[in-house]
């Protein structure tokens, strides 16, 4: 297939553009509010123009229960770091493999230090919705018969 | 395609079998511990043999931050109810549509009142990992050119 077509299956076409970042000293509750109000399941932590961490609802839930952190504590104390990221020209299939390997569900898409978006398991799952039942069977015949 | 083949693309083949349930009066922290220790991103709430709710890390995070619940409060006060469920012979594609429509990422699989498993966006995403780059392009050509 020509390169011009090949590039169209890159992550850039399927990622969520809606991302937010907060400073490392933002409280867990304030970060959670921003996530909720913006309908985003994760938030980036930025310092001096660089992404230094990422926080999901799972990180918040575990921090405030098992690790007994306070909701007023700084987000940097509970963030995941360093951040696993991809570039917008990475392949969708690379993102799938990375999520399965690292057991993560959200990966920031960063080009030359600039955040372009986030790709999630749900974004990738939604690709399946374009298949009809017969196409689905054809595609996954090998997998199913394993 | 014959019925015997068609049935093999049902949710039953792809769901996660590892589920846990707790009583409605379990504390949020105890439920969170069970989720963490069992590597499960959601937990079911069961009363008198019936599933009455489901709790994800997002529910816990929001309850303990925005809604200012205490980690020692009862899980029933923060659970999502009623539970959206599918049966194990439902189609994978029905699950995809339900997740996108209801904006949920986990759906319990319940047959005649008995929990069989949970199907998640990540379970469904992992199906994409069986495709190679060329197959992927063929399958999603229509979608990509939209």
């Amino acid at each position: 297939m020509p390169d011009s077509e090949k590039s169209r299956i890159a992550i850039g076409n399927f990622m969520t553009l809606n991302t937010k970042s907060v400073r490392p000293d933002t409280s867990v509750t304030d970060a959670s509010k921003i996530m909720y109000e913006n309908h985003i399941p994760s938030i980036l932590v930025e310092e001096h123009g660089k992404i230094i961490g990422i926080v999901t609802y799972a990180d918040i839930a575990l921090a405030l229960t098992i690790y007994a952190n306070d909701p007023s504590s700084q987000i940097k104390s509970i963030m995941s770091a360093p951040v696993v990221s991809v570039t917008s020209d990475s392949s969708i299939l690379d993102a799938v493999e990375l999520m399965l390997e690292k057991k993560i569900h959200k990966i920031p898409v960063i080009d030359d230090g600039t955040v372009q978006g986030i790709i999630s398991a749900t974004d990738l799952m939604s690709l399946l919705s374009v298949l009809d039942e017969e196409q689905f069977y054809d595609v996954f015949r090998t997998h199913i018969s394993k």
Side-chain angles (χ1 to χ4, degrees), chain A:
Chain A
M1 106 189 57
D3 274 355
S4 60
E5 290 192 333
K6 212 169 182 179
S7 67
R8 289 157 72 199
I9 59 170
I11 284 170
N13 300 93
F14 300 101
M15 65 189 181
T16 300
L17 299 174
N18 186 17
T19 67
K20 294 283 170 193
S21 61
V22 290
R23 288 175 11 178
D25 62 355
T26 306
S27 76
V28 172
T29 292
D30 285 347
S32 177
K33 270 184 195 156
I34 294 170
M35 290 163 67
Y36 181 70
E37 284 163 4
N38 289 278
H39 308 286
I40 49 174
S42 61
I43 199 158
L44 300 167
V45 182
E46 189 172 347
E47 188 170 43
H48 309 310
K50 195 168 172 284
I51 301 301
I52 60 165
I54 182 170
V55 173
T56 65
Y57 282 132
D59 295 323
I60 295 175
L62 293 173
L64 302 186
T65 55
I66 294 180
Y67 300 110
N69 284 68
D70 194 88
S72 64
S73 55
Q74 296 188 358
I75 198 78
K76 71 177 173 194
S77 64
I78 73 156
M79 69 185 185
S80 298
V83 175
V84 174
S85 69
V86 290
T87 56
S88 59
D89 62 357
S90 302
S91 145
I92 288 282
L93 297 175
D94 291 342
V96 172
E97 275 171 29
L98 208 52
M99 285 186 199
L100 294 175
E101 183 199 320
K102 306 269 187 193
K103 298 191 192 307
I104 54 179
H105 305 102
K106 287 118 194 143
I107 305 180
V109 182
I110 301 178
D111 292 341
D112 298 325
T114 304
V115 178
Q116 306 293 334
I118 286 195
I119 186 93
S120 71
T122 304
D123 296 330
L124 295 169
M125 175 203 76
S126 70
L127 294 175
L128 293 176
S129 68
V130 303
L131 303 182
D132 62 32
E133 201 74 34
E134 197 138 346
Q135 273 185 310
F136 182 83
Y137 184 76
D138 288 343
V139 169
F140 297 107
R141 180 186 293 269
T142 322
H143 186 62
I144 289 164
S145 52
K146 262 180 204 162

Short mmCIF file of all heavy atoms in Angstrom, two decimals, chain A residues 88-114:
data_model
loop_
_atom_site.label_atom_id
_atom_site.label_comp_id
_atom_site.label_asym_id
_atom_site.label_seq_id
_atom_site.Cartn_x
_atom_site.Cartn_y
_atom_site.Cartn_z
N SER A 88 2.24 10.41 17.46
CA SER A 88 0.98 10.35 16.68
C SER A 88 1.13 9.53 15.40
O SER A 88 0.14 9.10 14.83
CB SER A 88 0.46 11.75 16.38
OG SER A 88 1.40 12.48 15.65
N ASP A 89 2.38 9.30 14.97
CA ASP A 89 2.53 8.44 13.79
C ASP A 89 2.82 6.98 14.15
O ASP A 89 3.06 6.16 13.27
CB ASP A 89 3.61 9.00 12.83
CG ASP A 89 4.98 9.05 13.48
OD1 ASP A 89 5.09 8.71 14.69
OD2 ASP A 89 5.94 9.42 12.79
N SER A 90 2.77 6.66 15.45
CA SER A 90 2.89 5.25 15.85
C SER A 90 1.68 4.50 15.33
O SER A 90 0.62 5.08 15.11
CB SER A 90 2.90 5.11 17.38
OG SER A 90 3.94 5.84 17.96
N SER A 91 1.85 3.19 15.19
CA SER A 91 0.74 2.38 14.71
C SER A 91 -0.24 2.07 15.84
O SER A 91 0.14 1.91 17.00
CB SER A 91 1.29 1.08 14.13
OG SER A 91 0.43 0.01 14.37
N ILE A 92 -1.52 1.99 15.48
CA ILE A 92 -2.57 1.59 16.41
C ILE A 92 -2.20 0.25 17.07
O ILE A 92 -2.41 0.05 18.26
CB ILE A 92 -3.88 1.38 15.61
CG1 ILE A 92 -4.45 2.72 15.16
CG2 ILE A 92 -4.89 0.59 16.39
CD1 ILE A 92 -5.16 3.45 16.26
N LEU A 93 -1.66 -0.64 16.28
CA LEU A 93 -1.36 -1.97 16.81
C LEU A 93 -0.22 -1.94 17.83
O LEU A 93 -0.19 -2.73 18.77
CB LEU A 93 -1.05 -2.93 15.66
CG LEU A 93 -2.24 -3.13 14.72
CD1 LEU A 93 -1.87 -3.99 13.53
CD2 LEU A 93 -3.43 -3.75 15.46
N ASP A 94 0.72 -0.98 17.67
CA ASP A 94 1.77 -0.81 18.68
C ASP A 94 1.15 -0.38 20.00
O ASP A 94 1.56 -0.82 21.08
CB ASP A 94 2.78 0.26 18.23
CG ASP A 94 3.61 -0.21 17.05
OD1 ASP A 94 3.66 -1.43 16.81
OD2 ASP A 94 4.20 0.64 16.35
N ALA A 95 0.14 0.49 19.92
CA ALA A 95 -0.52 0.96 21.14
C ALA A 95 -1.23 -0.19 21.84
O ALA A 95 -1.18 -0.33 23.07
CB ALA A 95 -1.51 2.08 20.81
N VAL A 96 -1.90 -1.04 21.05
CA VAL A 96 -2.58 -2.20 21.63
C VAL A 96 -1.57 -3.08 22.38
O VAL A 96 -1.79 -3.46 23.54
CB VAL A 96 -3.29 -3.05 20.53
CG1 VAL A 96 -3.83 -4.35 21.12
CG2 VAL A 96 -4.41 -2.25 19.88
N GLU A 97 -0.45 -3.37 21.73
CA GLU A 97 0.56 -4.24 22.35
C GLU A 97 1.15 -3.63 23.62
O GLU A 97 1.37 -4.31 24.61
CB GLU A 97 1.68 -4.56 21.35
CG GLU A 97 1.30 -5.74 20.47
CD GLU A 97 2.27 -5.95 19.33
OE1 GLU A 97 3.46 -5.60 19.47
OE2 GLU A 97 1.82 -6.45 18.28
N LEU A 98 1.38 -2.33 23.56
CA LEU A 98 1.94 -1.62 24.71
C LEU A 98 0.98 -1.68 25.91
O LEU A 98 1.38 -1.91 27.05
CB LEU A 98 2.22 -0.17 24.31
CG LEU A 98 3.32 0.62 25.01
CD1 LEU A 98 4.65 -0.12 25.01
CD2 LEU A 98 3.49 1.99 24.34
N MET A 99 -0.30 -1.47 25.64
CA MET A 99 -1.30 -1.52 26.72
C MET A 99 -1.36 -2.91 27.35
O MET A 99 -1.42 -3.04 28.57
CB MET A 99 -2.68 -1.14 26.20
CG MET A 99 -2.84 0.35 25.94
SD MET A 99 -4.55 0.77 25.50
CE MET A 99 -4.28 2.37 24.74
N LEU A 100 -1.33 -3.93 26.51
CA LEU A 100 -1.42 -5.30 27.03
C LEU A 100 -0.15 -5.66 27.81
O LEU A 100 -0.21 -6.26 28.88
CB LEU A 100 -1.65 -6.28 25.89
CG LEU A 100 -3.00 -6.14 25.17
CD1 LEU A 100 -3.07 -7.08 23.98
CD2 LEU A 100 -4.17 -6.40 26.12
N GLU A 101 1.00 -5.23 27.29
CA GLU A 101 2.28 -5.57 27.92
C GLU A 101 2.46 -4.86 29.26
O GLU A 101 2.85 -5.45 30.26
CB GLU A 101 3.41 -5.17 26.95
CG GLU A 101 4.81 -5.53 27.43
CD GLU A 101 5.85 -4.71 26.67
OE1 GLU A 101 5.69 -4.50 25.45
OE2 GLU A 101 6.82 -4.25 27.33
N LYS A 102 2.14 -3.56 29.27
CA LYS A 102 2.36 -2.76 30.48
C LYS A 102 1.15 -2.77 31.41
O LYS A 102 1.19 -2.15 32.48
CB LYS A 102 2.67 -1.30 30.11
CG LYS A 102 3.83 -1.13 29.13
CD LYS A 102 5.14 -0.96 29.84
CE LYS A 102 6.26 -0.61 28.86
NZ LYS A 102 7.58 -0.74 29.49
N LYS A 103 0.07 -3.40 30.98
CA LYS A 103 -1.19 -3.40 31.75
C LYS A 103 -1.64 -1.98 32.07
O LYS A 103 -1.94 -1.64 33.22
CB LYS A 103 -1.05 -4.24 33.03
CG LYS A 103 -0.73 -5.71 32.73
CD LYS A 103 -0.86 -6.56 33.98
CE LYS A 103 -0.29 -7.95 33.79
NZ LYS A 103 -0.81 -8.68 32.64
N ILE A 104 -1.66 -1.13 31.05
CA ILE A 104 -2.16 0.24 31.19
C ILE A 104 -3.29 0.44 30.18
O ILE A 104 -3.42 -0.34 29.23
CB ILE A 104 -1.06 1.31 30.98
CG1 ILE A 104 -0.34 1.10 29.62
CG2 ILE A 104 -0.05 1.26 32.12
CD1 ILE A 104 0.74 2.12 29.33
N HIS A 105 -4.13 1.44 30.42
CA HIS A 105 -5.31 1.61 29.57
C HIS A 105 -5.34 2.95 28.85
O HIS A 105 -6.24 3.21 28.06
CB HIS A 105 -6.59 1.45 30.40
CG HIS A 105 -6.64 0.15 31.15
ND1 HIS A 105 -6.36 0.06 32.49
CD2 HIS A 105 -6.86 -1.11 30.72
CE1 HIS A 105 -6.45 -1.22 32.86
NE2 HIS A 105 -6.74 -1.94 31.82
N LYS A 106 -4.39 3.81 29.19
CA LYS A 106 -4.31 5.13 28.56
C LYS A 106 -2.85 5.44 28.25
O LYS A 106 -2.01 5.31 29.13
CB LYS A 106 -4.83 6.21 29.52
CG LYS A 106 -6.33 6.22 29.70
CD LYS A 106 -6.72 5.94 31.12
CE LYS A 106 -8.19 5.61 31.20
NZ LYS A 106 -8.48 4.57 32.20
N ILE A 107 -2.59 5.93 27.04
CA ILE A 107 -1.22 6.30 26.68
C ILE A 107 -1.23 7.69 26.05
O ILE A 107 -1.88 7.90 25.02
CB ILE A 107 -0.61 5.29 25.68
CG1 ILE A 107 -0.68 3.86 26.23
CG2 ILE A 107 0.84 5.66 25.36
CD1 ILE A 107 -0.09 2.80 25.29
N PRO A 108 -0.51 8.65 26.64
CA PRO A 108 -0.42 9.98 26.04
C PRO A 108 0.29 9.90 24.68
O PRO A 108 1.22 9.11 24.53
CB PRO A 108 0.42 10.78 27.03
CG PRO A 108 0.43 10.00 28.29
CD PRO A 108 0.24 8.56 27.91
N VAL A 109 -0.18 10.72 23.76
CA VAL A 109 0.44 10.80 22.43
C VAL A 109 1.24 12.10 22.41
O VAL A 109 0.67 13.20 22.50
CB VAL A 109 -0.64 10.80 21.33
CG1 VAL A 109 0.01 10.83 19.95
CG2 VAL A 109 -1.54 9.55 21.47
N ILE A 110 2.57 11.98 22.37
CA ILE A 110 3.44 13.15 22.51
C ILE A 110 4.41 13.23 21.34
O ILE A 110 5.14 12.28 21.06
CB ILE A 110 4.24 13.07 23.85
CG1 ILE A 110 3.27 13.00 25.04
CG2 ILE A 110 5.18 14.27 23.99
CD1 ILE A 110 3.93 12.88 26.40
N ASP A 111 4.37 14.34 20.60
CA ASP A 111 5.32 14.57 19.51
C ASP A 111 6.28 15.69 19.91
O ASP A 111 5.83 16.81 20.20
CB ASP A 111 4.56 15.02 18.23
CG ASP A 111 3.71 13.90 17.65
OD1 ASP A 111 3.95 12.72 17.98
OD2 ASP A 111 2.77 14.22 16.90
N ASP A 112 7.56 15.41 19.92
CA ASP A 112 8.56 16.43 20.24
C ASP A 112 8.22 17.22 21.50
O ASP A 112 8.27 18.46 21.51
CB ASP A 112 8.72 17.42 19.07
CG ASP A 112 9.22 16.71 17.81
OD1 ASP A 112 10.01 15.77 17.94
OD2 ASP A 112 8.78 17.10 16.72
N GLY A 113 7.80 16.51 22.53
CA GLY A 113 7.51 17.18 23.80
C GLY A 113 6.15 17.84 23.89
O GLY A 113 5.77 18.33 24.94
N THR A 114 5.39 17.85 22.79
CA THR A 114 4.06 18.47 22.81
C THR A 114 2.96 17.41 22.82
O THR A 114 2.94 16.52 21.96
CB THR A 114 3.87 19.38 21.58
OG1 THR A 114 4.93 20.33 21.56
CG2 THR A 114 2.53 20.09 21.62
#
